Amino acid sequence: MTQTGVDHVPNPNTRPEAGGFDSADWWRQAVVYQIYPRSFHDADGDGLGDLRGVTEKADYLKDLGIDAVWLSPFYPSQLADGGYDVDDYRDVDPRLGSLDDFDAMVHALHGRRIKVVVDIVPNHSSNLHRWFREAVAAGPGSLERDRYIFRDGRGESGELPPSDWQSVFGGPAWTRVTEPDGAPGQWYMHIFASEQPDWNWDNPDVHQEFLDTIRFWADRGVDGFRIDVAHALAKDLGEELVDSHALPNEFEEFGTHPFWDRDEVHDIYAEWRRAFNEYDPPRTAVAEAWVHPDRLARYASPDGLGQAFSFDLLEVPFTAENFRRAITKNLDEARRSGASSTWVLSNHDVVRHPTRYGLDLDTLLERLEERPLTPSGGTDLSVAAKQWLLLGSPEDLLDRDRGLRRARAAELLVLALPGSAYIYQGSELGLYEVVEIDDDQRQDPSFFRNPGKDQGRDGCRVPLPWERTAQDFGFGGPAHLPQPEWFAGHAADAELSDPGSTLNMYRSALAARREMQAAEELEWGPLNGGDVVHIVRPDGWESITNFGSDPLELPEGGVVVVSSQPLQSSLLPPETTVWLRHRTGGR
Ligand code: NOJ
């Protein structure tokens, strides 16, 4: 037995087929790379990333070592919300390519044994969707209007919105239309921007539209779906709409809110599951559902979507205790739902994690009027980081080196965990949030609808730097959001030639991960506790993260596979993760 207590050492050089590309449960342990298509790579030079751009980078993705890509929406859209306002669910935005380009991309990725996941946006369409235009044209009480949520206004002539509900992006959740006869008319509901009218899921046409959409993409070879705001579809608005202060708290009074996390939403996913299971292998789905932890398992159930994002690691500050708690909780949830865990450090909606982790949180909290809290009462780092942007991104509160050091340690820890890991494009390059964006260059509706209260999400959506010295850092066209000069040091070509780069750390880690055995469980290692997170996988691989500020003596007997910083002989530096493997007998 080694010092770390690992006595079972399987052959580390085999990758079991279970969980591999050809198996039905490929998703359980998959590393999924999120592509935000407009900002990934621009093949036709028009300044917007496109599907051919993804195809051109297929080898990059393969060499990175991921198992799947998830593409944020690439459908026709006026981009009122970065593509999450869909005009047509079964086509490609002409600026991003064509269905033929889509097929070519799937072919290129599948040829490299990379699965393809696309985004489904079922809570709302865009106001340019054919059915919404028909609904407005057809007038009150029509079948067409019933596909969306229209209500008469309050006040003498309906001039007041049906309720005072606010949209997630700020401003009212209702917008008034002009009726076909030119008179001011009814109001439609939109939880998000006014260009995103909510579907009425009590209408059978809406059900059919989405079943058709799922089959359309599944028939084209799509392997899985990411479901946008999965907890909002089912609604029971009642006759009398209550004021927002009288709305139930969806995190405490379960299933009673008129639109968040109602129990009936699961009937929709049971219907979808039957459609997913028509395919061999069954198509997969992952829910974006911001619900109470006790309610998440239902979204992830095998009768429903099958998997749900856990967002804990977007919210919690970088401490051993926070990570230990999140790991325990998520593995418990996965056990309850029968799904596998999901680990997410960044996505297109939050401040990038090297910036979040570099913030001087104590001083920042002192400068904020209100302490941002998670539902469980801890500090919400993701909200705090947004507040930092609002303060004008003061550099004196950001230690970039520390942020990246911690980000690398966190990613390596996450990649050692059972379950699937989601990597947002640019994380592998160690990109920070871009703060150098003028107000007139911004695109995000949460910035425009919340003047002075939200800087928006553009800073994590800036086109990627591919080549250090090329025009637009090799993005391929004039970048639609400004790329800062410091991108040069993070360009993919620069990082590839630097053995200590973040990109090379990801590549080494993902290559090593392929040798791990699929696992759904872990054990805590003997060093676990205090500032150290020490996990032991069933195959004997270990991951040790030193969250503290003093170096840590590593146990003897392990072979270092990869580390997030260079080791100082047998010492694990502060804010560093190392993976260890044990030699098999006779080697
Ligand atoms: C969640 C998506 O991740 C976000 O980008 C979008 O703005 C909203 N849903 C609305 O679709």
Side-chain angles (χ1 to χ4, degrees), residues 283-337:
R283 296 329 191 215
T284 67
V286 56
E288 185 218 19
W290 294 87
V291 297
H292 187 279
D294 290 350
R295 306 268 297 174
L296 199 59
R298 264 186 98 179
Y299 291 85
S301 112
D303 305 331
L305 294 175
Q307 200 180 39
F309 282 126
S310 155
F311 291 131
D312 293 346
L313 296 182
L314 297 179
E315 293 177 343
V316 297
F318 181 85
T319 70
E321 191 46 43
N322 283 335
F323 273 68
R324 243 190 315 269
R325 199 178 307 120
I327 293 168
T328 308
K329 174 174 157 251
N330 287 293
L331 291 178
D332 281 353
E333 268 166 22
R335 239 169 266 130
R336 255 188 291 152
S337 64

Side-chain angles (χ1 to χ4, degrees), residues 406-547:
R406 290 172 159 189
R408 289 169 57 136
E411 191 73 76
L412 211 50
L413 166 53
V414 156
L415 288 173
L417 297 173
S420 64
Y422 284 77
I423 297 174
Y424 178 51
Q425 68 176 36
S427 298
E428 80 280 17
L429 303 175
L431 292 186
Y432 302 96
E433 186 80 357
V434 176
V435 296
E436 302 89 338
I437 306 178
D438 292 338
D439 287 357
D440 61 1
Q441 296 169 314
R442 293 200 173 269
Q443 301 174 3
D444 186 6
S446 55
F447 170 75
F448 295 109
R449 291 178 66 93
N450 269 308
K453 292 199 186 134
D454 195 335
Q455 281 300 94
R457 302 161 292 179
D458 294 312
C460 62
R461 301 174 175 183
V462 174
L464 292 189
W466 293 99
E467 295 166 47
R468 185 187 183 98
T469 55
Q471 181 78 17
D472 301 295
F473 296 114
F475 172 57
H480 59 93
L481 283 166
Q483 298 168 303
E485 288 193 0
W486 54 260
F487 261 29
H490 295 257
D493 65 347
E495 294 221 10
L496 269 180
S497 56
D498 169 5
S501 70
T502 303
L503 179 55
N504 279 322
M505 181 200 84
Y506 271 74
R507 285 166 50 124
S508 308
L510 293 177
R513 189 180 151 106
R514 288 187 171 270
E515 296 178 15
M516 291 176 181
Q517 287 190 345
E520 305 276 341
E521 296 290 339
L522 55 76
E523 275 175 37
W524 299 109
L527 299 180
N528 192 54
D531 283 335
V532 180
V533 172
H534 181 187
I535 61 164
V536 183
R537 295 175 54 96
D539 55 11
W541 287 56
E542 295 176 63
S543 169
I544 306 173
T545 306
N546 179 5
F547 283 83

Side-chain angles (χ1 to χ4, degrees), residues 118-319:
V118 302
D119 223 305
I120 296 285
V121 189
N123 177 65
H124 43 266
S125 68
S126 116
N127 59 343
L128 300 185
H129 191 284
R130 182 169 60 89
W131 280 4
F132 188 75
R133 287 186 280 118
E134 287 174 7
V136 175
S142 59
L143 290 176
E144 288 84 349
R145 229 164 239 205
D146 188 56
R147 293 172 179 146
Y148 291 89
I149 302 174
F150 280 87
R151 291 285 187 279
D152 293 332
R154 290 172 302 158
E156 238 164 68
S157 49
E159 72 280 9
L160 297 173
S163 74
D164 70 343
W165 298 346
Q166 295 293 293
S167 85
V168 172
F169 290 153
W174 299 93
T175 292
R176 196 171 196 187
V177 297
T178 303
E179 298 301 353
D181 64 2
Q186 286 193 301
W187 299 72
Y188 65 89
M189 184 182 170
H190 49 88
I191 300 185
F192 294 91
S194 54
E195 295 88 349
Q196 294 168 295
D198 281 30
W199 290 108
N200 171 19
W201 274 91
D202 288 334
N203 183 299
D205 292 351
V206 175
H207 286 249
Q208 196 55 51
E209 167 75 359
F210 280 90
L211 287 171
D212 290 349
T213 297
I214 285 167
R215 292 190 179 109
F216 177 87
W217 293 110
D219 289 343
R220 294 196 102 89
V222 159
D223 304 284
F225 300 93
R226 177 263 187 192
I227 312 304
D228 190 61
V229 269
H231 57 310
L233 279 52
K235 299 191 173 71
D236 183 1
L237 303 190
E239 291 301 310
E240 284 292 311
L241 299 178
V242 294
D243 289 339
S244 48
H245 71 265
L247 285 175
N249 179 335
E250 78 264 27
F251 287 104
E252 286 166 13
E253 298 159 71
F254 296 150
T256 58
H257 194 279
F259 48 92
W260 293 129
D261 190 27
R262 297 189 60 82
D263 291 335
E264 310 90 87
V265 80
H266 298 290
D267 299 340
I268 300 171
Y269 301 133
E271 182 177 71
W272 290 13
R273 173 49 58 193
R274 289 191 286 277
F276 298 147
N277 289 353
E278 288 163 10
Y279 292 86
D280 181 21
R283 296 329 191 215
T284 67
V286 56
E288 185 218 19
W290 294 87
V291 297
H292 187 279
D294 290 350
R295 306 268 297 174
L296 199 59
R298 264 186 98 179
Y299 291 85
S301 112
D303 305 331
L305 294 175
Q307 200 180 39
F309 282 126
S310 155
F311 291 131
D312 293 346
L313 296 182
L314 297 179
E315 293 177 343
V316 297
F318 181 85
T319 70

Side-chain angles (χ1 to χ4, degrees), residues 47-62:
L48 276 187
D50 42 38
L51 297 185
R52 280 210 291 120
V54 177
T55 307
E56 285 182 6
K57 294 295 180 190
D59 281 334
Y60 172 85
L61 296 168
K62 175 174 182 287

Side-chain angles (χ1 to χ4, degrees), residues 356-365 396-399 402:
R356 294 202 311 274
Y357 291 153
L359 294 175
D360 171 353
L361 195 55
D362 290 337
T363 315
L364 173 60
L365 291 176
D396 65 313
L397 295 188
L398 176 64
D399 180 339
R402 178 175 224 199

Side-chain angles (χ1 to χ4, degrees), residues 66-89:
I66 53 157
D67 300 302
V69 296
W70 147 35
L71 292 124
S72 280
F74 48 80
Y75 315 112
S77 167
Q78 67 199 303
L79 303 186
D81 180 19
Y84 283 90
D85 46 320
V86 179
D87 298 353
D88 180 349
Y89 290 89

